[in-house]
Amino acid sequence: MKRKLILLLLAAVLLSGCASYERVQNPPRVTVGGSNTVAVLFFDNFTDDYAITHEVEQEIVKTLSGYYRVLPPSETEWALVRLGLLRGHSPDRDQAVRLGQMLGVDAVVVGEVSGYFQPVTQTPPYPTGRTKVDERGQLLSQYEYLESTKVMVGFTGRVMETRTGNVIHRLRVEGQADTERKEILRFPYEWWPPNRKPTAWDVPAPSYSQVPYVRQSAIRQAVSQFTADLMPTYTWVRVDD
């Protein structure tokens, strides 16, 4: 099998001759024009998590910065104040045009985070399959439980072109991520006697230690969906020498 694979690779090299490939950048499906300068203004928060909008904004800035020159919300606040715009009041067409002039950008990004959930669930304890015999000859069993952490975030984003004030990109996205971990049940016993099998009451309170990591992954997934049409794509093109 290994020899066959080597022969196939050699054949592919011979057939390709002197051809080579280069990576070509394709323009985004949605173009903002001008100097490719974008300002991320703010996202309104319709959830109970006060920090979620800031994290969404920062992830959008980070992603778009791979192709655009991006002004983060901290650099655009002065312009919003001058126009009398506060969170909860998205710019209209005239205000978008005015923001473009004040900030020197081709487009502004606004939106609202409408959903955020971070449930942590646990299974009832179940045997691990590991046992031992104590000094009295009792067969003791070990138990564990499975803890699942899930984060879901949803937001709507809009990109307004500042030459006309028109919305050129609008998308409702949802990001979701999860992780699982197994924990040995250690209280009040690590090894459980046959006459005392653990119940759900013996499982400790849920741990939220995994939430920050899972939350970041869910936000990144949602932002990736929103920015997909705003970012360039890449293809490999054959070039004959």
Side-chain angles (χ1 to χ4, degrees):
M1 183 66 184
K2 185 176 180 181
R3 182 181 177 185
K4 191 173 182 180
L5 180 60
I6 293 174
L7 290 174
L8 287 172
L9 291 172
L10 287 173
V13 171
L14 291 173
L15 287 173
S16 65
C18 297
S20 59
Y21 291 84
E22 66 178 19
R23 192 168 180 249
V24 176
Q25 184 186 84
N26 305 302
R29 293 181 181 178
V30 178
T31 57
V32 302
S35 59
N36 268 9
T37 305
V38 176
V40 178
L41 300 185
F42 52 76
F43 274 66
D44 296 323
N45 193 349
F46 297 142
T47 77
D48 294 329
D49 191 296
Y50 73 93
I52 189 67
T53 50
H54 174 74
E55 294 175 41
V56 169
E57 292 163 0
Q58 293 304 306
E59 187 63 29
I60 291 176
V61 170
K62 177 182 175 182
T63 302
L64 292 179
S65 294
Y67 182 68
Y68 302 91
R69 185 172 74 87
V70 184
L71 274 63
S74 59
E75 295 182 20
T76 65
E77 187 174 355
W78 66 271
L80 299 175
V81 171
R82 286 188 61 181
L83 286 179
L85 280 173
L86 303 174
R87 287 185 180 269
H89 298 84
S90 296
D92 58 27
R93 292 177 62 176
D94 292 338
Q95 290 169 329
V97 172
R98 182 67 178 133
L99 283 168
Q101 296 169 347
M102 297 169 68
L103 297 169
V105 297
D106 305 304
V108 294
V109 182
V110 295
E112 53 274 340
V113 180
S114 54
Y116 178 76
F117 308 94
Q118 56 176 42
V120 178
T121 59
Q122 298 170 320
T123 65
Y126 56 88
T128 64
R130 293 184 288 271
T131 59
K132 74 173 187 178
V133 178
D134 67 6
E135 64 278 2
R136 293 180 295 175
Q138 281 192 119
L139 183 65
L140 306 180
S141 300
Q142 193 178 56
Y143 287 79
E144 67 183 6
Y145 62 93
L146 182 68
E147 184 173 84
S148 301
T149 302
K150 180 179 291 187
V151 171
M152 296 166 281
V153 58
F155 71 83
T156 299
R158 294 180 297 283
V159 179
M160 302 178 73
E161 189 261 329
T162 58
R163 185 175 60 85
T164 63
N166 291 331
V167 176
I168 59 174
H169 181 59
R170 184 199 306 267
L171 198 62
R172 169 82 171 93
V173 296
E174 292 183 357
Q176 179 175 309
D178 58 77
T179 187
E180 294 181 337
R181 67 186 184 99
K182 293 180 179 180
E183 286 291 322
I184 301 296
L185 199 59
R186 301 183 186 280
F187 184 82
Y189 312 103
E190 180 175 350
W191 295 93
W192 295 74
N195 61 343
R196 174 68 168 91
K197 293 184 178 181
T199 68
W201 292 100
D202 295 303
V203 176
S207 168
Y208 288 84
S209 62
Q210 299 299 306
V211 166
Y213 163 75
V214 182
R215 173 187 178 114
Q216 186 180 35
S217 297
I219 292 173
R220 189 181 300 118
Q221 184 187 107
V223 169
S224 178
Q225 295 172 32
F226 173 68
T227 59
D229 286 347
L230 298 168
M231 299 296 289
T233 56
Y234 297 88
T235 54
W236 288 95
V237 177
R238 177 170 172 164
V239 178
D240 294 324
D241 295 335

